[in-house]
Amino acid sequence: MKTDKQIFKIFQAEPQWVYLLAEEPSPGPCRFESKTFKEIEKRTDGLLVPDLADRKLVVLEVQGYEDSYLYQRVVIEMALVQQDYPGRDVQGIILLLDDTTDPKTEPWRKVVRAISLRKAIAKIRKQHPEHPLVAVFLPLLAKSDAILERDAAPCYNFIRNSDLPTPVRQTLADVFVNWLEQRLSSKGKKEIEEMLIGQLPDLRDTQSGKDLIAIGKAEGKAEGKAEGKAEGLVKLLEIRFGKITAGLKKQILQVASDEELDSLYEQALAISKLAEFKVVKAT
């Protein structure tokens, strides 16, 4: 899976989360940026630059594959950063997506910290079970596709309903869906939408929700307004909850009042707002 660009977006939106993962105190306001080193014709994954000049800078390297020169490369980047920021301390952090790829190179592992993303998220989950980081990294860290499919909707819903600023929520949601599509590459866009439907902040705003409402309207014109809406409502409920019982389906189809069906539609669409975020213990 492609991860570096997406992780960069996460930390660019919320730089403080790097310190949370590293279990280090925040240096205060800072920015997360990419930096190009002309001397080695390479761009670092990310550089954390605190606003306060007496706080150390952090060179962050995200690593998901084996590289025997990983530590040396980070040390060189640290030296080049310090050259551009004279007098400031510099720290190096490697964020490992796979613990087995850590070359543990001496003596540089005494200079550069290596952090396991999986272990760091597990600690955050225990201390702050409803933290957005736990949710957004689900597609990357879920132990199986079955677990991911089961928990994708509540995690996505939690991100979209969190108290984070709107631009941050949108960034996390975009990253989540991107990773979900990469991880479940055998599924099409429509299947991904249906996986998330019913847990979104407002189903009316999703393409799948609009499609379902359009189905009801189209069937209403073709078969009689109330009957068409009833069929559309059945489809909506089955996507949200799975196959419904024949008895419930019969009750819905027997609702004669167009006004009653409108009310049922509104209730079904509102259910998505009531979904609670549950800790994904199996990731």
Side-chain angles (χ1 to χ4, degrees), residues 128-149:
H128 312 285
E130 294 189 353
H131 197 284
L133 272 176
V134 177
V136 76
F137 277 108
L138 173 73
L140 207 60
L141 301 179
K143 290 183 178 179
S144 70
D145 289 354
I147 291 173
L148 176 57
E149 291 184 35

Side-chain angles (χ1 to χ4, degrees), residues 157-226:
N157 183 54
F158 176 75
I159 291 170
R160 295 300 299 267
N161 284 319
S162 68
D163 294 329
L164 294 168
T166 300
V168 178
R169 291 202 309 268
Q170 187 59 54
T171 294
L172 297 187
D174 290 345
V175 168
F176 185 94
V177 172
N178 179 277
W179 279 341
L180 187 64
E181 291 176 334
Q182 287 191 64
R183 176 77 178 263
L184 303 178
S185 58
S186 61
K187 295 185 179 296
K189 182 176 178 62
K190 183 176 177 60
E191 289 179 284
I192 295 294
E193 287 179 346
E194 291 179 350
M195 184 186 303
L196 299 179
I197 204 169
Q199 296 282 355
L200 299 174
D202 193 337
L203 196 55
R204 299 177 192 85
D205 296 332
T206 69
Q207 187 57 51
S208 295
K210 292 174 182 176
D211 289 346
L212 286 169
I213 294 170
I215 289 171
K217 290 180 178 178
E219 291 179 349
K221 291 178 180 178
E223 304 172 18
K225 192 174 182 181

Side-chain angles (χ1 to χ4, degrees), residues 225-227 229-230 233 255-267:
K225 192 174 182 181
E227 184 180 353
K229 278 191 177 181
L233 180 57
V255 175
S257 168
D258 192 52
E259 289 72 19
E260 286 182 281
L261 285 168
D262 283 339
S263 177
L264 288 173
Y265 249 106
E266 287 300 313
Q267 291 179 52

